[in-house]
Amino acid sequence: MLTALVVLPVAVAALLMCVPRTAPRAVFPAVWIAAAAVELLITVMVWAGYRAEGGMQYEARARWIPSAGIGYHVGVDGLSLPLVALTCVLFLACALYATRQRRRVREFAALFLFLQTTCVGLFVALDLILFFLFFDLSIVGMYAVIAGWGQRGAARSALQFFLYTFVGSLALLLGFLGLYLAADPHTFDVTELTAANPLAERPGQGALVLSALALGLAVKTPTVPFHTWLPPAHTDAPAAGSAILAGVLLKMGTYGFLRIVLPVLPAAWREYAVVFVVVGVVSVVYGALVALAQSDFKRMIAYTSVTHMGYIVLALGAAGAVSVGSADAVRLAVDGAVFQMVSHGLLTGALFLLAGVLHERGRTYDMDAYSGLAARAPVFAALTGVAAFASLGLPGFSGFIAEFQILAGSLGPRPVATGVAVLGLLLTAGLFLRALQSVLMGPPRLPAGAPGATRPFRDIGGREALAIVPLLVLGVVLGLTPRFVLDVVEPASRGVLELLAR
């Protein structure tokens, strides 16, 4: 079933590319939406059949390059299943949102379907080379989205994105090769490497491999100081591209830490966990401060992503204290890190789609160019307000559950760092409230010369609402009833911490 989940989107993409461009334009988004809906349906079936305490499930293996220890090996557990579900929800939302796409619709739909295969494939991959393959292909896919359908300056932003993340992937490959050489027998299988713990008795080599893996995953996450590709990539990407970039692709880095680094390099992670705590806290505070200084709505959201990813890195760094008797606390932090990945994907995806609506009406992301939109577009204002309050971690939304777990779990083992990270909550609240006040309140004003300047700002349309509202509803549902996700996450995070304590 997982193989069908991985292969279906790219197979549909190949079929779409065989359809002549002269076919009715409505065919391409309709096929895209149908494929994304089937993907979500398969994911629901996988979730329904998943047993929370059953460990890795739905595993599938096939020979690929056995002489090099490389195989096709996929499976899901409580770490990957929520992210697969998030991926399918977000891609369906983007398919619905992009029905208004007019430029090269066939290629646009095929490219997003290809991207969905890379994202789902990475979250179910249990072979390092398979993981690396999907990791690199996602870079290629997103590069094409930004360069082909982005705003002015997209070519430069796409190139910067590609070079940064490709260098990161090369560092990741070096780390994978280090693990392969350390294993006896040599293998790239994640489950076999986890069981073998190949660098347990070689701290020097463990530190080198950890450095390579951490560099590759930190660029993708991104954390300070490897975040500089993120704001221009988001600013120039189309709205659906930004939603997938922030909602799914950024999670590849943090998921890589949980799936590979912590279980396979437990001793090295415990030894250098304080480095990741510092990086996480710096990312939280720096991202929030820079976001506060932005007047561009999309860049502001991009920098808040740096802050939210910083919370996850802080939680994973705090997990390194498991050996000093803080197991219950750090388990809470790791649960929160996984929950934050899902919550951030939903809420930031919604925010980027709303930013796309703003730009479509006013042709600019400059918040100073807008005022009083609540009077002209009350539904847009309401959805933006809900997304902003949810993103700043107000109780009742999924962001609150995630951040509470991370901070409560990290406070015991890392009290000073956690205390500093709390400043991020205050700064994030301030920047979102400032943005809402600037754009939605006051006398009505639109950018001079914008298509909407001489007529009322058009409110959210039906197709836009179909894409955005479910993301926010899920944010509320997870905020009020998080247990159905935590029941899946908690056994898996407990397993990671048991491996980390070896």
Side-chain angles (χ1 to χ4, degrees):
M1 191 174 285
L2 291 185
T3 299
L5 202 61
V6 173
V7 173
L8 176 66
V10 75
V12 175
L15 289 175
L16 271 183
M17 293 305 292
C18 295
V19 177
R21 282 197 180 89
T22 53
R25 193 194 65 81
V27 168
F28 305 113
V31 172
W32 181 11
I33 291 170
V38 171
E39 282 284 283
L40 184 57
L41 179 62
I42 296 174
T43 303
V44 171
M45 293 166 61
V46 170
W47 194 301
Y50 182 81
R51 292 175 291 108
E53 300 287 347
M56 193 63 68
Q57 295 167 47
Y58 294 99
E59 285 188 83
R61 295 174 184 265
R63 289 165 59 85
W64 185 11
I65 314 175
S67 60
I70 303 171
Y72 174 81
H73 186 189
V74 296
V76 289
D77 65 357
L79 301 180
S80 52
L81 185 55
L83 294 175
V84 171
L86 167 70
T87 300
C88 293
V89 168
L90 263 183
F91 271 93
L92 179 57
C94 289
L96 292 166
Y97 181 87
T99 49
R100 63 182 187 175
Q101 179 71 31
R102 295 290 182 271
R103 189 158 54 100
R104 290 179 290 162
V105 182
R106 182 185 67 162
E107 290 79 1
F108 193 72
L111 197 50
F112 269 80
L113 286 166
F114 169 76
L115 260 177
Q116 185 165 2
T117 280
T118 66
C119 296
V120 173
L122 182 137
F123 290 131
V124 301
L126 293 176
D127 182 277
L128 294 180
I129 296 303
L130 196 62
F131 183 97
F132 178 77
L133 176 70
F134 288 125
F135 190 93
D136 260 16
L137 289 178
S138 73
I139 297 172
V140 175
M142 185 51 67
Y143 166 82
V145 167
I146 298 172
W149 286 268
Q151 310 294 330
R152 186 173 54 188
R156 179 186 175 86
S157 298
L159 182 63
Q160 187 178 7
F161 161 78
F162 184 87
L163 292 178
Y164 255 89
T165 49
F166 188 65
V167 168
S169 76
L170 294 180
L172 195 63
L173 180 59
L174 282 177
F176 289 168
L177 290 173
L179 288 174
Y180 171 79
L181 294 173
D184 184 20
H186 298 324
T187 181
F188 286 104
D189 191 279
V190 175
T191 55
E192 292 178 15
L193 287 168
T194 299
N197 191 10
L199 292 170
E201 305 300 328
R202 288 172 279 182
Q205 292 179 40
L208 288 175
V209 171
L210 175 64
S211 301
L213 295 179
L215 176 61
L217 297 173
V219 171
K220 192 76 168 183
T221 297
T223 64
V224 175
F226 307 112
H227 68 288
T228 53
W229 60 268
L230 184 69
H234 273 307
T235 303
D236 291 325
S242 292
I244 295 300
L245 179 58
V248 181
L249 265 63
L250 300 192
K251 311 304 177 298
M252 293 179 175
T254 48
Y255 174 74
F257 280 114
L258 267 173
R259 169 61 64 211
I260 300 169
V261 181
L262 272 68
V264 178
L265 293 168
W269 185 265
R270 292 196 306 269
E271 179 73 20
Y272 298 99
V274 67
V275 175
F276 297 94
V277 170
V278 172
V279 169
V281 171
V282 170
S283 297
V284 167
V285 177
Y286 177 84
L289 284 173
V290 178
L292 191 61
Q294 300 301 310
S295 61
D296 185 298
F297 189 59
K298 225 178 175 189
R299 288 180 73 90
M300 183 198 76
I301 301 170
Y303 276 110
T304 62
S305 292
V306 176
T307 293
H308 287 115
M309 293 299 101
Y311 284 119
I312 297 174
V313 176
L314 165 64
L316 300 184
V322 68
S323 60
V324 297
S326 305
D328 289 340
V330 297
R331 183 176 57 76
L332 191 62
V334 174
D335 293 344
V338 179
F339 205 83
Q340 176 76 317
M341 292 186 217
V342 178
S343 170
H344 178 263
L346 294 171
L347 301 178
T348 305
L351 276 170
F352 275 119
L353 295 183
L354 287 163
V357 172
L358 185 72
H359 188 272
E360 193 271 338
R361 303 323 192 237
R363 296 292 184 268
T364 179
Y365 296 114
D366 184 6
M367 291 186 285
D368 295 334
Y370 298 92
S371 178
L373 291 188
R376 292 193 173 205
V379 177
F380 170 80
L383 294 180
T384 305
V386 170
F389 283 117
S391 191
L392 64 85
L394 208 65
F397 295 102
S398 56
F400 172 77
I401 303 293
E403 290 171 6
F404 176 80
Q405 286 185 307
I406 289 173
L407 295 175
S410 303
L411 186 61
R414 303 295 179 192
V416 175
T418 306
V420 176
V422 170
L423 288 175
L425 297 177
L426 181 63
L427 293 169
T428 304
L431 68 92
F432 272 119
L433 291 175
R434 183 182 64 90
L436 292 179
Q437 188 172 19
S438 170
V439 175
L440 304 181
M441 306 301 177
R445 185 176 74 247
L446 290 174
T454 57
R455 62 177 188 272
F457 187 94
R458 185 164 57 86
D459 210 343
I460 290 283
R463 288 176 296 183
E464 294 161 339
L466 273 177
I468 297 168
V469 170
L471 300 180
L472 298 178
V473 168
L474 280 172
V476 175
V477 169
L478 290 182
L480 297 176
T481 58
R483 182 43 56 187
F484 76 96
V485 173
L486 291 176
D487 282 344
V488 172
V489 172
E490 286 174 352
S493 62
R494 190 166 57 243
V496 169
L497 291 174
E498 289 171 357
L499 292 168
L500 186 59
R502 290 178 292 173

